[in-house]
Amino acid sequence: MSFIQVDKDSDFPLQNLPYGVFSTKEEPRHRLGVAIGDQILDLSVIKHLFNGPALAKHQHVFDQPTLNAFMGLGRPAWSEARAFLQKLLSAGEPTLRDNAELRRRAFVPQAAATMHLPAHIGDYTDFYSSRQHATNVGIMFRGKENALMPNWLHLPVGYHGRASSVVVSGTPIRRPVGQMKPDNDKPPVFGACKRLDIELEMAFFVGPGNKFGEPIAISRAQEHIFGMVLMNDWSARDIQKWEYVPLGPFLSKSLGTTISPWVVTMEALMPFVLPNPVQDPKPLPYLQDKEPYTFDIKLFVAIKGEGMSTPTTICRSNFKHMYWTMKQQLAHHSINGCNLRPGDLLASGTISGPEPESFGSMLELSWNGTKEIPLGSGQSRKFLQDGDEVILTGYCQGNGFRVGFGQCSGKILPALSNP
């Protein structure tokens, strides 16, 4: 228990302590913080207190404008920081609790803070690791017999995304314009996307990287995974359909990708680990891993349209539905010698479960626009309308506490009329 009050439904109890980057009106400098209840602990103010063997000579990482340097220190430093922060914030520890002056400088109400991207994202890769999602999309466009591509059960399929258009929660998203081919018998047309979609995803940040030409073995992959965020991979389905053959998604995805600002560490998530899914056929040896690394994270997608007083939940899913684990994704990404770096972002792909209400995209929920998704108040959607706000949330449920991620949200702005 902490001396900072934490409501039982808070995403940020003492068991969580996620890291983020924030600023305030009074102090616009970007700095590192840890969420506890409805407060932020400013790590730049208490950096001198990190005196353990892994951090004493690296206190400067808590004075940086991003988490990259801290991410790069590796697991011994992460574990030491977490253990120290849990002790510092606990009800029985006087160091911060009884130092009124230090407390005044060290804590900032979350309501008074502006959140920023937690890291400089050098590279961003998006996987396609939900079997149900891949099957659903395959059935829609290729039929039941050819739903999964021949390679899907053998390797974690992915593509390199656009790091520059990854934005923090709360950033508005402009409806894109581009080329589409709504009629197969007519030439392509140019205009505003009419099938703007969401994708419920999660993503992890890479910690220490690997040298160019030296793969990360799956047995060591855990040492390179810092923590997780929620992610909405906004998708322009009509643009995507026309552009994706033969090289995959391009402008249909780079219009914007939203992540939640708080990075929940893998150490905070380990109490919620589950056995990995049975993989048949058995993957090749470099992807085989017996250690559980699947997580019970409850996930929700809500839409608040213009004129709606409260958001309506349209999807209830769970990260445990993933077929390929984060360790497998990391090992596969680096098997050719590709060098990963601290702050690189690797995303799961759309997270869909077996039930229709657990489908993680409107493409699936509306089954390619053939049915309406009810929002209540006489409103429904097949795809997103201008003014819609999409809110992703997620948490692990403990005994009397939650380890949550906060919100990952964005509101759709109208397309530019004269691009």
Side-chain angles (χ1 to χ4, degrees), residues 212-235:
F212 180 60
E214 297 182 11
I216 297 169
I218 198 160
S219 59
R220 293 187 291 107
Q222 205 167 339
E223 307 291 324
H224 297 264
I225 301 174
F226 176 73
M228 298 181 72
V229 291
L230 302 172
M231 193 176 106
N232 185 352
D233 183 24
W234 306 92
S235 300

Side-chain angles (χ1 to χ4, degrees), residues 66-83:
T66 66
L67 282 162
N68 295 66
F70 178 54
M71 289 173 171
L73 291 181
R75 276 177 88 189
W78 307 339
S79 293
E80 186 176 291
R82 177 174 169 80

Side-chain angles (χ1 to χ4, degrees), residues 272-274 294-298 318-320 395-397:
F272 308 96
V273 75
L274 296 171
T294 295
F295 296 88
D296 183 7
I297 305 171
K298 301 173 196 303
N318 195 301
F319 189 68
K320 70 184 179 184
Y395 63 86
C396 305
Q397 185 61 57

Side-chain angles (χ1 to χ4, degrees), residues 218-345:
I218 198 160
S219 59
R220 293 187 291 107
Q222 205 167 339
E223 307 291 324
H224 297 264
I225 301 174
F226 176 73
M228 298 181 72
V229 291
L230 302 172
M231 193 176 106
N232 185 352
D233 183 24
W234 306 92
S235 300
R237 299 298 183 196
D238 38 10
I239 296 172
Q240 182 178 1
K241 186 182 177 187
W242 174 229
E243 75 173 3
Y244 86 101
V245 176
L247 292 181
F250 182 27
L251 303 180
S252 57
K253 298 285 190 173
S254 59
L255 65 109
T257 304
T258 303
I259 63 171
S260 52
W262 294 107
V263 187
V264 178
T265 64
M266 298 318 298
E267 202 168 343
L269 294 171
M270 283 312 291
F272 308 96
V273 75
L274 296 171
N276 300 330
V278 175
Q279 294 181 325
D280 182 23
K282 206 172 185 179
L284 291 169
Y286 80 97
L287 290 172
Q288 290 176 17
D289 181 37
K290 290 189 174 70
E291 294 295 314
Y293 213 67
T294 295
F295 296 88
D296 183 7
I297 305 171
K298 301 173 196 303
L299 298 166
F300 307 88
V301 180
I303 293 180
K304 185 171 184 251
E306 286 189 331
M308 292 173 59
S309 54
T310 55
T312 296
T313 300
I314 61 166
C315 166
R316 292 173 171 84
S317 195
N318 195 301
F319 189 68
K320 70 184 179 184
H321 296 312
M322 303 310 291
Y323 186 84
W324 296 102
T325 71
M326 292 178 282
K327 288 201 277 184
Q328 288 176 316
Q329 291 168 344
L330 189 78
H332 184 64
H333 201 313
S334 69
I335 194 63
N336 65 344
C338 172
N339 51 320
L340 301 168
R341 296 174 292 190
D344 281 358
L345 189 70

Side-chain angles (χ1 to χ4, degrees), residues 164-176:
S164 68
S165 53
V166 178
V167 296
V168 74
S169 177
T171 306
I173 299 295
R174 176 77 64 185
R175 180 179 295 273

